[in-house]
Amino acid sequence: MSAAPAPPLLAIENLQASAGGKEILKGLDLVIRAGEVHAIMGPNGSGKSTLARALTGHPSAVVTGGRVRYEGQDLLALEPEARAREGVFLAFQYPVEIPGVTSSTMLREGLNAIRAHRGEPELDAFQFLKLARQKADLIEMAHDMLSRAVNDGFSGGEKKRNEVLQMLVLEPRLAILDETDSGLDIDALKIVAKGVNALRGPGRGFLVITHYQRLLDHIVPDFVHVLADGRIVHSGGKELALELERRGYAWLEEPAAAPRS
Amino acid sequence: MSAPVPGKNAEIEALAAKEYEWGFVTAIEEDRIPKGLSEAVIGLISAKKEEPAWLLEWRLKAFATWRGMKEPTWARVRYPPIDYQEITYYAAPKRQADGPRSLDEVDPQLLATYEKLGIPLHEREVLAGVAVDAVFDSVSVATTFKSKLADLGIVFCSFSEAVREHPDLVRRYLGTVVPRNDNFFAALNSAVFSDGSFVYIPKGVRCPMELSTYFRINAANTGQFERTLIVADEGASVSYLEGCTAPKRDENQLHAAVVELVALDDAQIKYSTVQNWYPGDAQGRGGIYNFVTKRGACRGRRSKISWTQVETGSAITWKYPSCILQGDDSIGEFYSVALTNNYQQADTGTKMIHIGRRTRSTIISKGISAGHGQNTYRGAVKVLPGADGARNYSQCDSLLMSATCGAHTFPYLDVKNPTARIEHEASTSRIGEDQIFYLKQRGLGEEDAVNLIVNGFCKEVFRELPMEFAVEAQKLLSVSLEGAVG
């Protein structure tokens, strides 16, 4: 560990947010340092997806209080595309279909926007394709997926794998994975995990949102947090995931509800 | 059907407020005749063009028919009554009287105008493989590559020149696809048409380059009444491009063109249009009224006519490029993107009339509505009793970009042969907040995201366009939609 610690990659303080007119996040605190993998688990409706949306600026998640610093700057003040260009990536739980737009076109435009933001030269079509194919090989994805329309006619598993491919190409500094494991069989899950693990490194942080412990067998987290009723009610190491698997969430939710005044 | 779109209107509508880029007026002396329509005016037009007596007679018969006709009201477009006596029916750039023989003789002002429009009129066209017959107001000012085409026996010239040089061909085909009494606007055009283009591809000849015409309205209050006739003889093929931009005007201008295509045995005609007439301002003031009759006759066996249109301009678009599938095994196609923003109204579609056996047709229509735009698809598929084994596939998709726009679909089917197979698919979707967000999350800005989604929506049509045209069409779409997401 270095003597003078850099500001955390992500520092969430007392974050409150509503969705659909309902209060969902009720004061969430979380710090992620570069190099760390954090898993967030919790029952349905606890606010996991709202957290992902609030961090990336989705209009359906309305932040009503608290603050979020990303590498020291006010993340919430940035437009969604500016957050993306600063290196915040979301692997969507339900990736949308965009008929007629090929994955490679979309991804190249995105990558070049990000590179332009960093002051790097744009990649031409050939350079891009070479890069994208290398990354596709890493997760055993057929190259022709790149020339298909974005998620159009993809199976659930293909969509999730496509999200991971995009993450590998865009190389974010903060990657948020929103239930990337849902709908995947065990082989697909391993491949997805392989993609994530390939990106793990000292300069990068992960927020892995999941419902099930099984993903964490393959993406081993440094920290596990339990989200319940809009707050993190319990944090621990990777062994917490196993305990949750065994005992469920109920034993953790009770103390969270009690101190409310 | 109409479907409102909820959501972030202000943001997206702010994007749509881009001014018409091609609004400028060229100061050129004009040779015009008094406004209004009468036998005398028609006589004057015909005399100015030194037309033969049969053509004057043809015009006058059309005029007599038109006088007994009523302006159609069945289209889903609203506009104040047009006073046909307030319109000037002929204007030609004055210098044209001496007739430029080469580009060097063309009025530099005209050339500058084309320059601004990005029309390639110089030798670089050779590289681009495009021959241009540019119509400035009503008279063709320059035709290029004519000699090269002439070597192959191809005729590509202004309509007036065709009347002089190839009267037999013109007389044999004029009005045989769109009769002069076909409809109100076609009859008007038949009476007063000023100029246009004529193409004849002889037997067995494949035209080696895309033929291209740019129409442009310049003079205020001057209606444009082009007449285009394209004939592909047996085994011939041709691809024809028509592109339009018009300078900005406050008054509404009437445009009533007629295009006739004739394909004989084994002939193929591909007709592509990018229409970008002035659409009016954000409040719906001004803009072109575009009432066009376009029709192709697949007369020969195994003939094929393909229409591709990208309609982004005009205050009102009333246009139904159609195919009469007369020859056995003939094929008709219609690929269309129609965009209405602000207060634009479009009522467009096609008619596929199956007469011959095993005739096939494909209709792909993409309507995009933004602002207060109203977009109607109106299409008819008609299968006559003799059309054994006829097949049609129609797909009509609408994309809505604001809460105040409308999309409407009127497919008409009339099938009189039990062996026919007809398929129709339709969809209406709104541009998704989630789609836009997804692209932003990958680093794209709002405008780029919208353009990408819209271009994706139109892809099936764009890929039918010749490549240079496809690029222009995409550019046009993004300009027309700036600020339109809402």
Side-chain angles (χ1 to χ4, degrees):
Chain A
M1 287 283 116
S2 59
L9 183 64
L10 186 73
I12 304 173
E13 289 171 39
N14 191 28
L15 183 64
Q16 296 151 54
S18 64
K22 231 180 108 188
E23 198 186 354
I24 305 288
L25 297 182
K26 301 170 182 173
L28 186 144
D29 297 284
L30 180 68
V31 173
I32 298 179
R33 295 183 185 281
E36 296 174 350
V37 175
H38 291 244
I40 292 217
M41 304 183 75
N44 283 331
S46 57
K48 299 192 300 290
S49 285
T50 301
L51 173 62
R53 290 179 178 181
L55 291 177
T56 50
H58 192 285
S60 70
V62 181
V63 174
T64 53
R67 57 177 216 162
V68 179
R69 314 291 288 177
Y70 169 75
E71 294 179 331
Q73 63 175 323
D74 181 1
L75 185 68
L76 301 178
L78 300 177
E79 291 294 319
E81 59 269 38
R83 300 184 200 190
R85 291 170 192 169
E86 286 289 335
V88 177
F89 178 90
L90 172 63
F92 285 77
Q93 182 179 7
Y94 302 111
V96 296
E97 301 177 1
I98 309 180
V101 177
T102 64
S103 279
S104 61
T105 300
M106 176 201 73
L107 197 48
R108 184 157 66 94
E109 280 206 26
L111 178 63
N112 280 335
I114 291 167
R115 290 178 65 92
H117 179 72
R118 293 188 199 139
E120 295 167 3
E122 296 195 347
L123 296 188
D124 65 30
F126 298 104
Q127 293 167 319
F128 169 78
L129 214 57
K130 198 176 156 202
L131 173 76
R133 285 177 174 167
Q134 279 170 7
K135 303 295 185 185
D137 289 342
L138 207 63
I139 51 169
E140 296 164 40
M141 199 166 139
H143 292 177
D144 69 2
M145 298 273 281
L146 287 163
S147 46
R148 285 168 61 185
V150 178
N151 297 319
D152 197 13
F154 283 25
S155 70
E158 285 175 326
K159 285 182 183 174
K160 293 302 176 71
R161 204 181 292 202
N162 198 27
E163 294 294 290
V164 174
L165 172 73
Q166 294 176 32
M167 181 179 73
L168 290 171
V169 169
L170 299 180
E171 299 188 325
R173 291 198 296 283
L174 173 66
I176 304 164
L177 284 76
D178 190 3
E179 306 216 7
T180 300
D181 52 327
S182 67
L184 293 185
D185 61 36
I186 187 67
D187 292 331
L189 187 79
K190 281 181 183 166
I191 289 166
V192 162
K194 190 177 157 196
V196 173
N197 289 329
L199 266 192
R200 282 179 83 154
R204 193 167 282 132
F206 288 85
L207 182 59
V208 180
I209 294 169
T210 182
H211 215 71
Y212 303 103
Q213 188 272 333
R214 61 171 194 161
L215 176 69
L216 305 180
D217 287 341
H218 304 281
I219 304 171
V220 180
D222 301 300
F223 302 94
V224 175
H225 310 277
V226 178
L227 185 62
D229 195 29
R231 285 189 197 89
I232 287 179
V233 293
H234 200 80
S235 298
K238 62 186 177 212
E239 63 289 344
L240 176 59
L242 292 165
E243 196 174 354
L244 289 168
E245 179 85 347
R246 223 173 39 245
R247 297 179 62 188
Y249 295 107
W251 61 282
L252 288 167
E253 284 178 70
E254 282 152 22
R260 195 184 298 167
S261 51
Chain B
M1 67 195 219
S2 307
V5 183
K8 21 184 253 162
N9 301 336
E11 198 179 319
I12 292 172
E13 268 154 28
L15 258 174
K18 169 119 180 191
E19 291 268 313
Y20 186 70
E21 273 190 7
W22 291 278
F24 48 84
V25 175
T26 309
I28 286 177
E29 281 182 80
E30 281 188 39
D31 173 15
R32 32 160 94 214
I33 60 175
K35 66 185 181 185
L37 189 49
S38 63
E39 291 195 346
V41 164
I42 291 167
L44 209 55
I45 293 171
S46 191
K48 274 187 178 295
K49 304 174 81 63
E50 297 165 36
E51 287 176 353
W54 67 264
L55 191 50
L56 173 60
E57 198 184 317
W58 197 81
R59 287 175 180 276
L60 291 173
K61 278 184 184 160
F63 180 55
T65 310
W66 178 76
R67 279 207 285 200
M69 295 175 102
K70 279 210 160 60
E71 206 172 315
T73 53
W74 45 262
R76 211 178 174 287
V77 293
R78 304 281 168 272
Y79 54 93
I82 298 168
D83 185 345
Y84 291 90
Q85 297 304 331
E86 276 300 309
I87 293 168
T88 305
Y89 287 89
Y90 182 83
K94 209 165 191 177
R95 308 267 178 89
Q96 184 63 18
D98 334 86
R101 306 251 180 297
S102 72
L103 284 179
D104 304 337
E105 292 178 37
V106 172
D107 190 321
Q109 282 257 38
L110 276 185
L111 291 178
T113 303
Y114 290 132
E115 199 75 49
K116 274 189 231 175
L117 286 169
I119 297 173
L121 207 76
H122 303 300
E123 291 307 311
R124 59 176 183 241
E125 291 164 0
V126 182
L127 297 169
V130 174
V132 175
D133 178 353
V135 175
F136 191 90
D137 281 355
S138 310
V139 172
S140 297
V141 289
T143 302
T144 48
F145 298 108
K146 245 201 239 169
S147 61
K148 196 170 162 187
L149 295 172
D151 290 345
L152 292 163
I154 294 171
V155 180
F156 174 38
C157 62
S158 73
F159 203 92
S160 313
E161 189 183 328
V163 169
R164 284 195 307 272
E165 307 291 328
H166 309 279
D168 295 345
L169 276 177
V170 174
R171 205 170 175 179
R172 190 184 319 160
Y173 292 105
L174 177 67
T176 64
V177 187
V178 179
R180 58 176 179 245
N181 61 351
D182 187 80
N183 67 69
F184 181 85
F185 296 109
L188 178 64
N189 174 285
S190 300
V192 302
F193 71 86
S194 40
D195 213 331
S197 294
F198 177 80
V199 176
Y200 173 76
I201 314 288
K203 273 184 195 175
V205 172
R206 295 171 59 95
C207 186
M209 58 182 84
E210 315 265 3
L211 300 182
S212 168
T213 302
Y214 286 84
F215 295 104
R216 186 168 163 75
I217 296 174
N218 194 56
N221 280 331
T222 305
Q224 280 247 316
F225 303 93
E226 287 89 10
R227 185 109 201 166
T228 297
L229 175 57
I230 299 176
V231 179
D233 213 323
E234 290 171 20
S237 71
V238 61
S239 170
Y240 186 88
L241 317 181
E242 172 198 40
C244 310
T245 58
K248 186 167 183 163
R249 288 287 174 193
D250 284 330
E251 307 94 325
N252 289 304
Q253 292 177 306
L254 180 63
H255 181 84
V258 170
V259 176
E260 297 180 277
L261 311 181
V262 178
L264 302 184
D265 281 359
D266 299 296
Q268 299 199 356
I269 301 174
K270 183 176 176 61
Y271 193 104
S272 311
T273 304
V274 170
Q275 186 266 116
N276 183 31
W277 302 115
Y278 178 52
D281 67 14
Q283 280 70 46
R285 287 182 302 242
I288 304 295
Y289 291 179
N290 194 23
F291 298 97
V292 187
T293 305
K294 288 184 169 175
R295 195 175 301 152
C298 284
R299 293 222 171 117
R301 284 175 292 177
R302 298 171 300 275
S303 57
K304 178 178 175 184
I305 289 178
S306 181
W307 298 100
T308 306
Q309 61 173 24
V310 176
E311 305 280 324
T312 63
S314 295
I316 292 173
T317 299
W318 181 99
K319 183 182 172 190
Y320 315 90
S322 301
C323 296
I324 301 166
L325 302 169
Q326 208 175 329
D328 289 348
D329 301 293
S330 60
I331 297 172
E333 294 175 338
F334 174 73
Y335 299 96
S336 170
V337 167
L339 179 150
T340 53
N341 194 1
N342 296 321
Y343 286 87
Q344 285 177 275
Q345 308 171 63
D347 192 304
T348 186
T350 184
K351 275 189 282 189
M352 294 290 174
I353 299 166
H354 293 258
I355 300 170
R357 286 172 296 174
R358 298 174 303 276
T359 45
R360 282 171 288 158
S361 62
T362 302
I363 299 170
I364 307 283
S365 164
K366 304 280 182 175
I368 302 162
S369 313
H372 296 267
Q374 293 294 324
N375 209 319
T376 299
Y377 169 80
R378 189 182 302 277
V381 176
K382 202 168 177 169
V383 179
L384 299 191
D388 291 337
R391 268 160 44 194
N392 163 265
Y393 173 73
S394 302
Q395 183 189 330
C396 305
D397 299 321
S398 303
L399 186 66
L400 302 167
M401 304 193 58
S402 76
T404 44
C405 65
H408 320 274
T409 305
F410 300 105
Y412 303 95
L413 283 179
D414 181 6
V415 181
K416 297 231 157 61
N417 184 308
T419 64
R421 238 171 60 209
I422 311 289
E423 287 174 75
H424 180 90
E425 288 179 27
S427 76
T428 300
S429 54
R430 48 189 65 145
I431 190 156
E433 198 173 62
D434 280 333
Q435 288 177 324
I436 294 172
F437 180 74
Y438 188 82
L439 294 176
K440 284 182 176 177
Q441 218 301 305
R442 297 305 180 244
L444 278 75
E446 169 126 351
E447 253 179 66
D448 290 337
V450 169
N451 286 339
L452 206 57
I453 293 165
V454 170
N455 280 319
F457 175 75
C458 299
K459 193 174 200 174
E460 288 154 289
V461 175
F462 284 170
R463 72 174 172 216
E464 296 298 325
L465 289 170
M467 198 164 69
E468 326 81 83
F469 237 35
V471 171
E472 186 177 321
Q474 289 191 15
K475 229 166 64 186
L476 206 53
L477 223 57
S478 68
V479 167
S480 308
L481 274 177
E482 268 177 54
V485 186

